Amino acid sequence: MVHRNHHNTGRRVHLLFVLVLTGLLVLSGCAGGGGKTPVLDEAFLGQAHEAVKQAYGEAYLPSMPLEEAMLTDIYGLPMEDVEAFVAEGPMMSTQVDTFIGLRAKPGKGETVAGAMRQYRDNLVTNSMQYPMNMPKVNASTVHVVGDYVFFLILGAYNE
Protein backbone atom coordinates (compact mmCIF):
# COMPACT_ATOMS: atom_id res chain seq x y z
CA MET A 1 0.00 0.00 0.00
CA VAL A 2 2.81 2.45 0.81
CA HIS A 3 4.45 1.58 -2.49
CA ARG A 4 1.28 2.52 -4.35
CA ASN A 5 1.00 5.82 -2.45
CA HIS A 6 4.66 6.59 -3.22
CA HIS A 7 4.10 5.83 -6.88
CA ASN A 8 0.98 7.98 -7.10
CA THR A 9 2.59 10.81 -5.11
CA GLY A 10 5.65 10.75 -7.35
CA ARG A 11 3.52 10.74 -10.48
CA ARG A 12 1.45 13.68 -9.20
CA VAL A 13 4.55 15.71 -8.22
CA HIS A 14 6.19 15.02 -11.58
CA LEU A 15 3.02 15.73 -13.57
CA LEU A 16 2.27 18.97 -11.71
CA PHE A 17 5.81 20.24 -12.19
CA VAL A 18 5.85 19.33 -15.88
CA LEU A 19 2.54 21.12 -16.38
CA VAL A 20 3.78 24.23 -14.56
CA LEU A 21 7.03 24.32 -16.58
CA THR A 22 5.19 23.70 -19.84
CA GLY A 23 2.87 26.59 -19.09
CA LEU A 24 5.81 28.85 -18.30
CA LEU A 25 7.66 27.84 -21.45
CA VAL A 26 4.60 28.53 -23.58
CA LEU A 27 4.03 31.90 -21.90
CA SER A 28 7.67 32.92 -22.13
CA GLY A 29 7.73 31.84 -25.78
CA CYS A 30 4.68 33.98 -26.51
CA ALA A 31 6.21 36.94 -24.70
CA GLY A 32 9.40 36.50 -26.70
CA GLY A 33 7.67 37.44 -29.93
CA GLY A 34 6.01 34.82 -32.05
CA GLY A 35 5.46 32.05 -29.52
CA LYS A 36 7.59 29.56 -31.46
CA THR A 37 10.68 29.20 -29.29
CA PRO A 38 10.51 29.20 -25.49
CA VAL A 39 12.71 31.81 -23.85
CA LEU A 40 14.75 30.58 -20.90
CA ASP A 41 15.82 34.04 -19.78
CA GLU A 42 16.87 35.41 -16.38
CA ALA A 43 13.25 35.79 -15.28
CA PHE A 44 12.46 32.10 -15.86
CA LEU A 45 13.91 30.87 -12.54
CA GLY A 46 11.78 33.24 -10.45
CA GLN A 47 8.72 32.59 -12.60
CA ALA A 48 9.12 28.83 -12.18
CA HIS A 49 9.42 29.21 -8.40
CA GLU A 50 6.33 31.40 -8.16
CA ALA A 51 4.33 29.12 -10.45
CA VAL A 52 5.19 26.06 -8.35
CA LYS A 53 4.24 27.91 -5.14
CA GLN A 54 0.90 28.91 -6.64
CA ALA A 55 0.24 25.44 -8.03
CA TYR A 56 0.83 23.77 -4.66
CA GLY A 57 -0.97 26.47 -2.67
CA GLU A 58 -1.23 25.57 1.02
CA ALA A 59 0.60 22.29 0.36
CA TYR A 60 3.80 24.27 -0.47
CA LEU A 61 5.68 23.97 2.83
CA PRO A 62 9.26 25.18 2.22
CA SER A 63 9.56 28.25 4.42
CA MET A 64 13.25 29.05 4.87
CA PRO A 65 15.72 30.29 2.25
CA LEU A 66 18.68 27.99 1.70
CA GLU A 67 21.96 29.87 1.44
CA GLU A 68 24.73 29.16 -1.06
CA ALA A 69 26.97 27.63 1.61
CA MET A 70 24.21 25.11 2.46
CA LEU A 71 23.83 24.18 -1.19
CA THR A 72 27.55 23.41 -1.32
CA ASP A 73 28.04 21.84 2.12
CA ILE A 74 24.81 19.86 2.49
CA TYR A 75 23.68 19.22 -1.08
CA GLY A 76 27.16 18.93 -2.61
CA LEU A 77 26.37 21.30 -5.46
CA PRO A 78 29.23 22.84 -7.46
CA MET A 79 28.10 26.43 -6.96
CA GLU A 80 30.99 27.70 -9.09
CA ASP A 81 28.97 26.28 -12.00
CA VAL A 82 25.76 28.11 -10.99
CA GLU A 83 24.78 31.63 -12.10
CA ALA A 84 21.61 32.03 -10.03
CA PHE A 85 19.40 30.04 -7.70
CA VAL A 86 16.19 30.04 -5.70
CA ALA A 87 16.21 27.55 -2.86
CA GLU A 88 13.86 27.00 0.05
CA GLY A 89 13.67 24.24 2.60
CA PRO A 90 11.81 23.36 5.77
CA MET A 91 12.15 25.47 8.87
CA MET A 92 11.20 22.50 11.04
CA SER A 93 13.36 19.38 11.09
CA THR A 94 10.28 17.14 10.95
CA GLN A 95 9.49 18.35 7.42
CA VAL A 96 11.37 17.60 4.21
CA ASP A 97 9.66 19.85 1.66
CA THR A 98 12.30 21.50 -0.51
CA PHE A 99 12.41 23.55 -3.70
CA ILE A 100 15.77 24.17 -5.36
CA GLY A 101 15.94 25.90 -8.73
CA LEU A 102 19.35 26.59 -10.29
CA ARG A 103 20.45 28.32 -13.46
CA ALA A 104 23.75 26.71 -14.34
CA LYS A 105 26.41 28.47 -16.34
CA PRO A 106 26.15 27.73 -20.06
CA GLY A 107 26.95 24.09 -20.72
CA LYS A 108 27.09 23.18 -17.01
CA GLY A 109 23.46 22.03 -16.59
CA GLU A 110 24.29 18.33 -16.70
CA THR A 111 27.19 18.75 -14.25
CA VAL A 112 24.93 20.49 -11.74
CA ALA A 113 22.12 18.00 -12.40
CA GLY A 114 24.51 15.10 -11.78
CA ALA A 115 25.45 16.50 -8.37
CA MET A 116 21.77 17.05 -7.56
CA ARG A 117 20.90 13.49 -8.61
CA GLN A 118 23.72 12.15 -6.45
CA TYR A 119 22.32 14.04 -3.44
CA ARG A 120 18.82 12.73 -4.17
CA ASP A 121 20.02 9.13 -4.52
CA ASN A 122 21.90 9.37 -1.21
CA LEU A 123 18.86 10.92 0.47
CA VAL A 124 16.60 8.10 -0.72
CA THR A 125 18.96 5.22 0.08
CA ASN A 126 20.87 6.36 3.17
CA SER A 127 18.97 8.99 5.14
CA MET A 128 16.91 8.40 8.25
CA GLN A 129 13.44 9.88 7.78
CA TYR A 130 10.25 10.12 9.76
CA PRO A 131 7.82 7.54 8.34
CA MET A 132 5.42 10.29 7.22
CA ASN A 133 8.18 11.79 5.05
CA MET A 134 9.28 8.64 3.23
CA PRO A 135 6.73 8.92 0.39
CA LYS A 136 7.83 12.51 -0.29
CA VAL A 137 11.53 11.64 -0.17
CA ASN A 138 11.03 8.65 -2.47
CA ALA A 139 8.97 10.78 -4.86
CA SER A 140 11.55 13.60 -4.97
CA THR A 141 12.62 14.55 -8.47
CA VAL A 142 15.38 16.27 -10.39
CA HIS A 143 14.28 18.03 -13.58
CA VAL A 144 16.57 19.57 -16.20
CA VAL A 145 15.37 22.18 -18.68
CA GLY A 146 18.33 23.42 -20.71
CA ASP A 147 20.79 24.76 -18.15
CA TYR A 148 18.10 24.99 -15.46
CA VAL A 149 18.05 22.30 -12.78
CA PHE A 150 15.16 21.80 -10.35
CA PHE A 151 15.07 19.57 -7.28
CA LEU A 152 11.68 19.05 -5.67
CA ILE A 153 10.49 17.36 -2.52
CA LEU A 154 6.93 18.62 -2.52
CA GLY A 155 3.40 17.37 -2.05
CA ALA A 156 0.52 17.12 0.35
CA TYR A 157 0.47 14.42 2.99
CA ASN A 158 -1.94 11.61 2.15
CA GLU A 159 -4.28 11.34 5.10
Side-chain angles (χ1 to χ4, degrees), residues 51-120:
V52 168
K53 285 171 62 173
Q54 287 181 8
Y56 279 89
E58 290 182 15
Y60 184 87
L61 300 179
S63 56
M64 181 180 81
L66 301 177
E67 303 296 328
E68 184 173 339
M70 293 177 77
L71 296 176
T72 299
D73 297 342
I74 296 172
Y75 294 88
L77 294 173
M79 295 305 286
E80 66 276 3
D81 293 335
V82 174
E83 289 183 338
F85 69 91
V86 175
E88 292 183 322
M91 190 172 286
M92 298 173 55
S93 63
T94 58
Q95 295 176 341
V96 293
D97 291 63
T98 303
F99 174 95
I100 299 175
L102 307 143
R103 184 176 70 238
K105 291 180 179 176
K108 294 293 185 175
E110 277 306 317
T111 300
V112 173
M116 194 80 266
R117 286 184 192 107
Q118 186 174 14
Y119 171 80
R120 185 211 173 266

Side-chain angles (χ1 to χ4, degrees), residues 4-25:
R4 188 169 16 138
N5 286 342
H6 153 67
H7 185 69
N8 289 338
T9 300
R11 198 177 319 170
R12 278 182 282 195
V13 168
H14 177 74
L15 179 60
L16 182 58
F17 187 72
V18 168
L19 289 173
V20 167
L21 278 183
T22 301
L24 279 173
L25 289 171

